[in-house]
Amino acid sequence: DGVELSSPEVHLCPGKNITLRMDDNLNDATYEFDIRKSLFDSSPLMNGIPGNFGEVTITDTDAGTYNLTTVYNNGDIGAATCIHSGPSFEIIVDPLPAAVTTEQIPDTAICPEVPFTFTVDAVTDATQYVWLTELNTDPDTTSLPEYTLASTGTVDFDITVTPINDCGNGTPF
């Protein structure tokens, strides 16, 4: 039918917007289109006619599955001769890492100059963990919820762990 989607999924982060653009690269004056959640949805997310396909800003409140409906006509805009529903695509809001509600790292005695691995429970939706202590002036990032540190003789220090993903930072703990 000549209509393709570049991706079956559109991902965005909470509170963010993206622009959905329909390109008129078919140079075909015999069809119109609209994007709606169902064929019977009276409020399309976007619609266009040849030469005026345009774009729409999508927010995280627009999450859901949408169908791209193509209306073919005989060159008379608005005079449909064939309606094709599909393909569909999903607007997905990716969450921030979940909040951690319990203390993860108890007081632990470690020997100077001996590597020790700290482990926390995996945080839902986290893809990395940023570890900060008074012993490292630059934070270290790991892909697993564990961090190996060799103490330099300091016996008392705090560790702050911040779970992160592509949408931002979770709550440090």
Side-chain angles (χ1 to χ4, degrees), residues 11-145:
H11 290 263
L12 68 153
C13 296
K16 301 294 181 184
N17 300 333
I18 60 170
T19 299
L20 181 64
R21 182 175 296 113
M22 182 70 163
D23 294 324
D24 182 10
N25 58 3
L26 297 175
N27 298 318
D28 184 352
T30 62
Y31 76 95
E32 303 165 51
F33 80 93
D34 65 30
I35 297 172
R36 53 182 80 219
K37 287 195 173 184
S38 76
L39 193 57
F40 306 105
D41 184 358
S42 62
S43 301
L45 179 65
M46 178 182 187
N47 57 29
I49 59 174
N52 185 23
F53 285 91
E55 59 189 38
V56 65
T57 299
I58 297 173
T59 68
D60 58 358
T61 60
D62 294 316
T65 301
Y66 289 83
N67 290 306
L68 175 60
T69 302
T70 309
V71 180
Y72 295 89
N73 57 50
N74 291 325
D76 181 13
I77 302 302
T81 57
C82 179
I83 298 176
H84 174 73
S85 182
S88 64
F89 65 96
E90 184 88 13
I91 296 174
I92 300 170
V93 179
D94 294 327
L96 289 171
V100 176
T101 58
T102 59
E103 181 181 348
Q104 295 284 309
I105 302 174
D107 288 343
T108 304
I110 61 174
C111 299
E113 305 300 327
V114 176
F116 185 84
T117 300
F118 295 92
T119 303
V120 296
D121 294 335
V123 176
T124 302
D125 298 313
T127 57
Q128 293 182 312
Y129 300 83
V130 179
W131 303 79
L132 183 62
T133 73
E134 293 126 15
L135 304 177
N136 60 341
T137 55
D138 293 322
D140 290 320
T141 303
T142 63
S143 59
L144 296 174

Side-chain angles (χ1 to χ4, degrees), residues 131-172:
W131 303 79
L132 183 62
T133 73
E134 293 126 15
L135 304 177
N136 60 341
T137 55
D138 293 322
D140 290 320
T141 303
T142 63
S143 59
L144 296 174
E146 58 187 45
Y147 178 63
T148 301
L149 177 71
S151 170
T152 59
T154 303
V155 286
D156 194 19
F157 59 89
D158 293 322
I159 296 178
T160 301
V161 183
T162 304
I164 63 173
N165 66 19
D166 289 341
C167 286
N169 296 352
T171 305

